[in-house]
Amino acid sequence: MIGKIVLTGAAGRLGGMCRKPLAAMCKTLVSSDIVDRLDDLAENETYQKADIGQFDDMLALIEGAEMVVHFGSIADEAPWEKILYSNTLSAYNVWESAHRHNVRRIVYASSIHAVGMYPKHQNIGVDVRHRPDTFYGLAKCFTEDLASLYWDKRGLETVAMRILSATEKPGNSRALGTWLSDDDTVQLVEKSVSAPTTGFTIVYGVSNNDRAGVDNSGAAALGFRPKDNAEDFADVILANAPPQDNQNPEDMCHGGPFAVVPLGESGVEMIRKRSIKT
């Protein structure tokens, strides 16, 4: 059993979903975020409020940890100054603090938006060059490269999970290829933590979808075997989906709506406004 795991972003949906499974894998789980408290702590779980953009906070938080599961950051496109603080500077704070405390591995919530401008008809693996669709995606590129550097120069392992569409159910035609179910999310995190060795590894966070546009065969080395398939929802989704436009990057790129959102503006808010209009 792992000694101590630190979980950042524990108040978010995905981080929160992983709290109990991670607590079952270790002697001590320290969950962290910027909220004042978390409810329903496991018996071996404590909560420590910390700002990932502050180096001293991360240095204190990570002390004694064997592994860090890093979900903390802005999970949307935002102005560069906010991304720089919460998604880029914070990455250095986490990896450098982990190095100083001899952490063995970081499991990192990266994103498809690191390669979001690739066309969907191109089935991409983990070896394609970065091609971000937003400042948010650019920060994911930086963190993946930082993690690679810390493995090559300092022996700190990282599993970078390029998460696609992590939702309870697939909600649109794009998600028929990009859906990552809740159960498969938890499984991917568990396998990334429990794998005997990983070095620096990139995997895609995607379920076993018939229409997946990424090559995730390398994830098998972690023991990841996704069980859910968005095709189960295809008939209903396609019956109600609007026609796709082959001239629209939103329809044609892996990043979906983030391929067209203006830099620095919220992609989540753009999608919300559309849903109100319809």
Side-chain angles (χ1 to χ4, degrees):
M1 177 174 282
I2 297 165
K4 175 180 175 181
I5 295 176
V6 168
L7 170 65
T8 70
R13 195 183 88 84
L14 298 186
M17 194 164 59
C18 293
R19 284 171 50 204
K20 288 185 179 180
L22 287 173
M25 300 179 74
C26 64
K27 295 178 181 178
T28 302
L29 174 65
V30 178
S31 294
S32 180
D33 213 305
I34 56 174
V35 299
D36 288 332
R37 54 174 291 178
L38 286 180
D39 296 324
D40 301 321
L41 295 176
E43 290 185 4
N44 63 333
E45 180 185 12
T46 59
Y47 178 71
Q48 186 171 335
K49 183 178 180 180
D51 182 347
I52 57 175
Q54 296 294 319
F55 182 79
D56 288 345
D57 281 13
M58 290 300 98
L59 193 63
L61 175 69
I62 293 173
E63 184 176 4
E66 184 176 345
M67 292 195 185
V68 176
V69 179
H70 181 36
F71 276 92
S73 70
I74 296 173
D76 187 14
E77 174 66 337
W80 170 245
E81 294 78 11
K82 291 184 177 180
I83 293 292
L84 179 64
Y85 181 84
S86 293
N87 296 40
T88 308
L89 175 63
S90 63
Y92 170 78
N93 293 342
V94 170
W95 265 260
E96 179 61 21
S97 296
H99 162 65
R100 294 191 188 186
H101 289 307
N102 296 311
V103 168
R104 179 157 65 96
R105 182 181 305 160
I106 298 175
V107 177
Y108 170 56
S110 188
S111 171
I112 187 63
H113 297 296
V115 288
M117 293 309 297
Y118 279 98
K120 285 197 295 187
H121 64 261
Q122 182 176 346
N123 187 280
I124 57 174
V126 299
D127 55 348
V128 295
R129 71 171 178 85
H130 287 143
R131 197 170 173 184
D133 51 28
T134 45
F135 290 145
Y136 169 73
L138 182 63
K140 299 297 185 181
C141 297
F142 169 81
T143 305
E144 287 184 4
D145 287 346
L146 179 76
S148 176
L149 177 66
Y150 270 64
W151 165 245
D152 288 339
K153 298 298 286 285
R154 290 176 163 173
L156 173 56
E157 291 189 324
T158 293
V159 178
M161 307 177 296
R162 284 184 183 165
I163 295 171
L164 279 74
S165 301
T167 55
E168 184 178 355
K169 295 181 180 179
N172 52 46
S173 56
R174 174 176 177 261
L176 293 177
T178 62
W179 185 46
L180 175 65
S181 71
D182 289 354
D183 286 347
D184 286 338
T185 298
V186 171
Q187 185 201 157
L188 180 57
V189 172
E190 289 176 333
K191 297 301 185 182
S192 297
V193 167
S194 64
T197 184
T198 66
F200 170 69
T201 298
I202 299 173
V203 298
Y204 285 106
V206 65
S207 287
N208 189 34
N209 305 324
D210 291 354
R211 306 175 195 234
V214 296
D215 177 5
N216 205 28
S217 56
L222 300 177
F224 180 53
R225 303 292 189 275
K227 300 183 182 303
D228 294 314
N229 190 334
E231 203 65 22
D232 295 339
F233 303 86
D235 288 347
V236 173
I237 288 174
L238 293 178
N240 297 283
Q244 297 210 335
D245 179 0
N246 63 11
Q247 300 300 311
N248 184 355
E250 179 174 355
D251 292 335
M252 298 305 293
C253 291
H254 280 281
F258 275 42
V260 297
V261 68
L263 290 175
E265 297 184 15
S266 169
V268 173
E269 182 65 15
M270 182 185 74
I271 296 169
R272 187 190 70 82
K273 288 180 178 178
R274 285 182 185 173
S275 65
I276 292 174
K277 289 180 181 179
T278 57

